[in-house]
Amino acid sequence: MSRPIVIIPCDTKVIEGITFDAVGRKYAAAVAEVAECQPLLAPLGPSMLDMGALLDIADGILLSGAVSNVHPNLYGLDEPPLNDKALDPERDNLTLPLAREALQRKLPLFAICRGFQEINVALGGTLDQSVHTVDGRNDHREPSNVPVPERFGPSHPVKLSGTLKSWIGEDEIVVNSLHWQGIQRLARPLTAEAHAEDGLIEAVRGPTEHPFFFGVQWHPEWQAKNNKASIEIFRRFGDAVRNVNSNGRAT
């Protein structure tokens, strides 16, 4: 039997004046090797944006992390972007409506880092553009000028609750941290299921009747095969995707 398909929207990358659609291979590898599904990258751009075509073939969706940020206008923030170059409006145009469709159609969706922030914005929540400047919040950015393994290394504990706690079987885990934006106001359909020491929301789930609508602020895809919590989350995502594939997609 062929593996079920997980759509992964791309990021916009401009290299030497040429625009590329790209996704870090670690996301696709975690989908393939841990969730045991077939990753399929979705390019960006108006001429390639056919939501119906994507939903026709998707058994699940993974929204990856990225160096770009959701545009603040999309969550009603009355201030300019902190960095005009750290935006990807073509990705916004795909991922936000895709998240809403996944919720409505009960299509399994797993969101990571930027993707975590995207689902909150898509469903009516807001973000802080710079968490480390907010009173009472810690600095959640990664260390600079260190090797990649150190950037993705353990950073701080998060306290677990609800479904996530029952999946992993622990009250607390230690996660990596590579973000400088975070949830300010949680979208109404979402429930927080992990918090950092400073109270910042680190994981959310959708309505209980949804087969899998889940997001985390950290990067479980990094060396996913070697991390107990990552294995548990990706395998449950894969199980939900396979169930959709075997029972037929919602419309």
Side-chain angles (χ1 to χ4, degrees), residues 123-188:
L123 302 179
T126 62
L127 306 175
D128 284 314
Q129 287 203 81
S130 180
V131 169
H132 54 279
T133 65
V134 177
D135 288 344
R137 297 294 192 215
N138 297 332
D139 190 340
H140 289 258
R141 295 174 295 180
E142 69 271 26
S144 58
N145 301 317
V146 299
V148 170
E150 291 184 35
R151 288 171 51 205
F152 283 89
S155 178
H156 63 78
V158 295
K159 291 189 177 298
L160 309 180
S161 60
T163 302
L164 182 59
K165 179 180 175 179
S166 68
W167 286 353
I168 296 176
E170 298 182 30
D171 295 327
E172 183 177 285
I173 60 174
V174 178
V175 301
N176 50 34
S177 188
L178 297 93
H179 64 101
W180 46 286
Q181 301 205 130
I183 289 180
Q184 180 190 70
R185 186 184 75 246
L186 185 64
R188 189 179 298 273

Side-chain angles (χ1 to χ4, degrees), residues 4 50 94 102 119 122 146 161 172 217 238:
D50 187 335
L94 173 57
I119 62 173
V146 299
S161 60
E172 183 177 285
Q217 181 62 83

Side-chain angles (χ1 to χ4, degrees), residues 50-58 61 98 101-102 105 107 249-250:
D50 187 335
M51 193 74 62
L54 291 178
L55 292 167
D56 283 346
I57 62 173
I61 297 166
L98 195 60
E101 285 290 332
R105 295 173 182 239
L107 187 67
R249 300 176 185 90

Side-chain angles (χ1 to χ4, degrees), residues 47-135:
S47 64
M48 292 172 281
L49 180 53
D50 187 335
M51 193 74 62
L54 291 178
L55 292 167
D56 283 346
I57 62 173
D59 300 302
I61 297 166
L62 185 133
L63 301 181
S64 70
V67 296
S68 62
N69 299 312
V70 180
H71 199 294
N73 289 352
L74 295 172
Y75 49 94
L77 192 62
D78 189 22
E79 60 184 53
L82 292 181
N83 183 352
D84 287 335
K85 295 181 180 179
L87 297 172
D88 192 344
E90 291 185 333
R91 172 164 167 158
D92 293 338
N93 290 339
L94 173 57
T95 55
L96 271 61
L98 195 60
R100 290 188 284 265
E101 285 290 332
L103 183 67
Q104 180 179 343
R105 295 173 182 239
K106 296 184 179 178
L107 187 67
L109 180 146
F110 185 23
I112 295 171
C113 198
R114 188 196 208 267
F116 169 82
Q117 296 165 10
E118 286 170 338
I119 62 173
N120 190 58
V121 171
L123 302 179
T126 62
L127 306 175
D128 284 314
Q129 287 203 81
S130 180
V131 169
H132 54 279
T133 65
V134 177
D135 288 344

